[in-house]
Amino acid sequence: MESHKYITLSYELYSDNAQGIHELIEKAPAEHPLQFISGFGTMLEAFEGNIVPLSEGDEFDFNLSVNEAYGPYVQEHVIELDKQVFTIDGRFDKENIYPGNVIPLTNADGNRFDGIIVEVKEKTVVVDLNHFLAGRDLHFCGKVIQSRPATDAEIQGYINMFSGEGCGCGCHDCGDGGCGEGGCGEGGCGGHHHEHGDGCCGGHEHEHGDGCCGGHEHKHGDGCCGGGHCH
């Protein structure tokens, strides 16, 4: 198996909600596929394990357990932060800090991750650091559109993107010279491995100097809610 493959695929992601209904969480259609380079840890390990061996045109339908996906929901990962953490130019960022919003955070080590605003209190903000799919089994189905060895230029672009030096296959409008034949514009954000500090989902990046626990990176993010089944 090649160490790095350039892969694009269309897919639908389902999971059972609290009422036991198998609901559609997110999707990437063939017109705007998920694109990534394998072997960099940007996707769930179990997800890559199912996808990488496939060839172009292959269809897939598999499940990931809670432990293979984003782990169990941990109540201790719901924390309170001082409102000062969320100030911009001395003012509380009320435009982005409100219940239900997902915001980017950075801990003392410079690691970036997402938090969900649970409650805004008088002096503190309650933030849930669990991944929004924590505690849930995941059901993926779809089709591999492209799968081939990644070129050296694509690999370097991918490395540059995650080091903040440039763009690769991800949440950036690369224009010319993107990853793959269609460039980044065809893959777009796709709701995967969101580096929110780079502007994919809006908002501002806030510092949290206490080294938050948890802090999973969103490797499957904003999606389309509804019901349905794999076809």
Side-chain angles (χ1 to χ4, degrees):
M1 181 175 69
E2 295 93 342
S3 57
H4 298 296
K5 276 188 172 182
Y6 171 72
I7 298 172
T8 66
L9 52 87
S10 59
Y11 79 95
E12 294 179 350
L13 166 60
Y14 296 85
S15 183
D16 292 344
N17 63 21
Q19 290 72 43
I21 299 174
H22 201 56
E23 64 177 352
L24 177 64
I25 302 298
E26 65 181 33
K27 64 188 295 183
E31 295 79 13
H32 300 284
L34 161 64
Q35 58 176 332
F36 67 97
I37 295 178
S38 66
F40 281 99
T42 57
M43 308 301 293
L44 291 169
E45 182 178 353
F47 179 86
E48 275 202 15
N50 279 277
I51 295 298
V52 171
L54 302 179
S55 302
E56 291 183 11
D58 285 351
E59 296 185 349
F60 55 87
D61 191 331
F62 60 87
N63 294 285
L64 300 184
S65 68
V66 169
N67 288 331
E68 290 175 316
Y70 295 102
Y73 186 89
V74 180
Q75 188 60 43
E76 287 75 14
H77 290 177
V78 180
I79 63 174
E80 288 196 39
L81 301 177
D82 192 288
K83 271 190 171 182
Q84 291 299 316
V85 174
F86 305 100
T87 57
I88 298 176
D89 297 329
R91 296 184 179 182
F92 179 68
D93 184 15
K94 61 182 180 180
E95 291 185 4
N96 293 288
I97 309 304
Y98 57 86
N101 197 29
V102 177
I103 61 167
L105 295 168
T106 304
N107 66 12
D109 297 322
N111 298 314
R112 292 189 288 182
F113 50 90
D114 293 324
I116 302 172
I117 302 300
V118 177
E119 183 181 0
V120 178
K121 297 183 178 181
E122 183 179 354
K123 296 183 178 181
T124 62
V125 177
V126 181
V127 183
D128 188 348
L129 301 180
N130 288 284
H131 190 280
F132 83 107
L133 290 174
R136 301 178 72 166
D137 295 327
L138 306 181
H139 175 200
F140 291 94
C141 57
K143 184 176 182 178
V144 177
I145 298 171
Q146 189 174 13
S147 181
R148 58 168 172 74
T151 66
D152 290 343
E154 289 166 347
I155 291 173
Q156 187 58 54
Y158 213 55
I159 294 172
N160 290 346
M161 180 182 71
F162 292 110
S163 66
E165 296 178 5
C167 66
C169 303
C171 288
H172 300 272
D173 183 8
C174 296
D176 296 330
C179 199
E181 296 178 1
C184 292
E186 293 193 7
C189 289
H192 310 278
H193 193 73
H194 280 187
E195 296 289 346
H196 291 299
D198 295 328
C200 281
C201 295
H204 303 273
E205 189 165 351
H206 301 279
E207 300 290 335
H208 173 224
D210 296 329
C212 297
C213 55
H216 301 283
E217 288 183 280
H218 276 193
K219 300 184 181 179
H220 297 281
D222 54 40
C224 305
C225 296
H229 302 279
C230 294
H231 299 287

